[in-house]
């Protein structure tokens, strides 16, 4: 006999459910194994998938990527900034007489009543810059760095104007890439790129990047006016050709 634990009714030992109240009977040891009740399962009632699980996974991976990659990118950028760019001209002793002769040749071409062109080598241009800027702007500071020298590197089709500065005696190079532009008003050199060491400067930052060059350019403002009158610039490797139109009103030297 099986006694119902719910109502106390004595049921036959073969029964699974109480004959009196219908409660499932608890079989005593040695009796028949209880039969599991049938449960109806609605196929449409499936557990809902966790909401946002994929988004959480992607977000976690992205955060981990930022945590690992950002410091590495910053370190790589700093290394590139401290690297010496290609084709930097060597530092040589200033030849003041050669610089004066080049200045006289440029002034003659500018004031000529006939169209004139002048070839200027990279070596002569750098000697001229050293003679004029080194004495004109000693100790100038930019970006908390001490001015050391300026230089040009002449490539085919463009010109690089650079500044070497030192931070605790370590050289850092700022460079502007200039390309010639011609119009009815004359010729100009337009900034089209820049770099710190070997790290390129994004295009949208060029207007701000030009500021460290302003003290140096100000120190040779008089000489730059000669080139503002030019009507054409031509660049080949290590050589620049500057052309001026005829001057109808020569200036007094």
């Amino acid at each position: 006999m099986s006694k119902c634990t719910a109502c106390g009714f004595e049921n036959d030992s073969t029964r699974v459910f109480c004959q009196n109240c219908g409660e499932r009977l608890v079989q005593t040891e040695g009796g028949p194994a209880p039969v599991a009740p049938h449960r109806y399962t609605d196929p449409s009632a499936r557990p809902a998938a966790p909401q946002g699980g994929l988004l959480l996974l992607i977000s976690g991976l992205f955060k981990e990527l930022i945590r690992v990659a950002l410091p590495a990118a910053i370190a790589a950028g700093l290394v590139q900034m401290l690297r010496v760019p290609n084709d930097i001209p060597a530092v040589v002793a200033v030849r003041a007489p050669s610089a004066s002769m080049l200045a006289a040749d440029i002034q003659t071409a500018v004031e000529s009543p006939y169209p004139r062109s002048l070839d200027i080598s990279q070596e002569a241009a750098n000697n001229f810059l050293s003679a004029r800027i080194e004495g004109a702007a000693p100790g100038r500071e930019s970006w908390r760095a001490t001015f050391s020298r300026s230089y040009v590197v002449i490539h085919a089709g463009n010109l690089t104007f650079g500044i070497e500065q030192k931070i605790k005696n370590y050289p850092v190079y700022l460079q502007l890439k200039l390309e010639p532009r011609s119009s009815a008003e004359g010729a100009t050199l337009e900034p089209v790129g820049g770099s710190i060491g070997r790290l390129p400067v994004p295009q949208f930052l060029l207007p701000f990047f030009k500021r460290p060059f302003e003290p140096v350019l100000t120190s040779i403002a008089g000489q730059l006016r000669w080139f503002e009158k030019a009507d054409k610039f031509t660049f080949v490797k290590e050589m620049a050709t500057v052309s001026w139109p005829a001057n109808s009103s020569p200036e007094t030297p």
Side-chain angles (χ1 to χ4, degrees):
M1 300 293 287
S2 297
K3 187 176 182 178
C4 178
T5 57
C7 66
F9 184 82
E10 294 287 340
N11 294 275
D12 185 73
S13 61
T14 60
R15 288 187 172 276
V16 178
F17 298 94
C18 179
Q19 186 178 356
N20 181 50
C21 67
E23 181 69 15
R24 182 178 179 81
L25 297 174
V26 179
Q27 298 295 330
T28 58
E29 186 176 355
V35 179
H38 174 73
R39 295 181 180 179
Y40 173 75
T41 303
D42 183 357
S44 64
R46 297 179 179 177
Q51 296 296 318
L54 181 58
L55 292 178
L56 289 174
L57 176 62
I58 294 175
S59 176
L61 291 175
F62 182 75
K63 290 179 180 178
E64 184 66 15
L65 179 64
I66 292 296
R67 186 184 70 81
V68 175
L70 186 59
I74 293 174
L78 289 174
V79 170
Q80 289 296 94
M81 289 171 63
L82 296 177
R83 293 183 67 190
V84 178
N86 293 324
D87 303 325
I88 296 297
V91 178
V92 296
V94 177
R95 302 186 304 278
S98 297
S100 297
M101 289 177 61
L102 178 58
D105 290 342
I106 295 174
Q107 195 166 17
T108 298
V110 171
E111 297 175 356
S112 172
Y114 307 101
R116 294 285 298 271
S117 294
L118 184 65
D119 293 332
I120 304 174
S121 69
Q122 179 175 297
E123 181 183 1
N126 284 315
N127 180 66
F128 180 84
L129 287 174
S130 297
R132 293 297 187 271
I133 296 179
E134 187 176 15
R140 287 186 182 272
E141 293 187 355
S142 173
W143 292 8
R144 299 180 181 179
T146 303
F147 174 86
S148 179
R149 64 168 175 147
S150 62
Y151 58 88
V152 296
V153 181
I154 304 175
H155 308 280
N158 60 70
L159 169 79
T160 296
F161 181 74
I163 297 176
E164 178 185 322
Q165 300 182 328
K166 290 188 177 180
I167 302 176
K168 296 185 181 300
N169 294 323
Y170 192 91
V172 178
Y173 298 88
L174 310 180
Q175 298 193 132
L176 272 179
K177 181 180 178 181
L178 307 171
E179 288 187 353
R181 298 284 187 270
S182 297
S183 66
E185 289 73 26
T188 57
L189 295 176
E190 297 297 325
V192 295
S195 64
I196 304 174
R198 295 193 183 185
L199 181 68
V201 174
Q203 194 74 20
F204 70 92
L205 290 178
L206 280 183
F208 306 98
F209 184 66
K210 291 188 294 185
R211 292 177 182 174
F213 296 84
E214 291 175 358
V216 176
L217 297 176
T218 299
S219 66
I220 54 171
Q223 289 81 6
L224 289 178
R225 282 194 286 270
W226 294 337
F227 296 98
E228 290 173 357
K229 299 178 181 180
D231 59 3
K232 186 178 182 181
F233 294 99
T234 304
F235 299 121
V236 297
K237 185 174 176 58
E238 297 188 1
M239 181 69 69
T241 300
V242 187
S243 301
W244 287 270
N247 186 5
S248 56
S249 55
E251 298 177 1
T252 303

